[in-house]
Amino acid sequence: MTYLHDMPPAAVPTLLDRRRWLQGALSLLACAQTPVLAAPRVPPRADSPPVGVDSLVLRSGLTARWTTAMRQDMGWKAQWQAHDSLVLLRMLEDGSLPMAVFLGGPEADALDRSGLIHDRRTLALTDVLLVGPKDDLAGLRGESDWARAIMQVLSARVAGVADWEAPPPSHALATWIDQWSQGFTRQGALVRPASRPAPADSVAYTVVPRAAWRASAERDRKVWLSTAPEQALSLQVARSFRSSHPGAGLLVKWLEAPLARRQVRALAPGWRLPGA
């Protein structure tokens, strides 16, 4: 029998050798029990598409918030192209843009029914405000009906006691006014030149989306009327049937996801989420 003290010195494991062996064994065991780290985020399946967007969305700060969130979440640099909503809808119709974010209305409904846009979604809502001078020149105090309120403002304009500033024809608000004022703005008797001009320094009545009013520096106007929930302007996204982009469908889904919705919620009360 060979005893430990009979073995040559080189064959006897030292305390240091045994400690190193034990440390190695523990390291192997730890590696076996450590979960595999998650793989890095998969790169986007497509590049960021060009996106038409209503100028209101830019002015209100919503696109800036979407841009930051999109860059952090998807690695995309947004390619916004600002136009009025009715211009955007024509660009979707002829395929000039693969997708757009616009203010909804009858024009969008018609394109949807014709199959010229698809993937249409409502992303946010903004109330419409009737604003004007702080003095009640048109007799609107206590008025809650939009048709009667617009009628009174236009009648005050004809009488020369108040000014009326209509939205440009290419703006979705022009269509909105016709829809909710029962066509009063189209009646020549009500929009003819005033019998006597209003004072040069008078403040005009007009309609503005709450998202624009929130960002506006105008404080010489008073809010006389705001919309009921069903009358709010809807901010919608849709893709063009005539133009495709690999990233457009992905971006439509992202704009409906919780991260994008949080950016809308952060800008309340200018914007609010559908159903809120």
Side-chain angles (χ1 to χ4, degrees), residues 41-82:
R41 180 178 57 82
V42 178
R45 297 191 297 272
D47 294 330
S48 174
V51 184
V53 62
D54 189 275
S55 303
L56 170 63
V57 190
L58 285 172
R59 296 198 312 272
S60 68
L62 184 53
T63 48
R65 298 189 68 92
W66 277 342
T67 296
T68 300
M70 194 186 307
R71 183 171 58 248
Q72 293 173 349
D73 188 41
M74 303 174 69
W76 277 5
K77 181 178 180 181
Q79 302 180 51
W80 308 114
Q81 298 184 20

Side-chain angles (χ1 to χ4, degrees), residues 19-56:
R19 183 177 297 171
R20 287 173 175 169
W21 179 90
L22 181 60
Q23 288 175 343
L26 290 175
S27 297
L28 290 173
L29 181 62
C31 290
Q33 294 178 345
T34 300
V36 177
L37 294 177
R41 180 178 57 82
V42 178
R45 297 191 297 272
D47 294 330
S48 174
V51 184
V53 62
D54 189 275
S55 303
L56 170 63

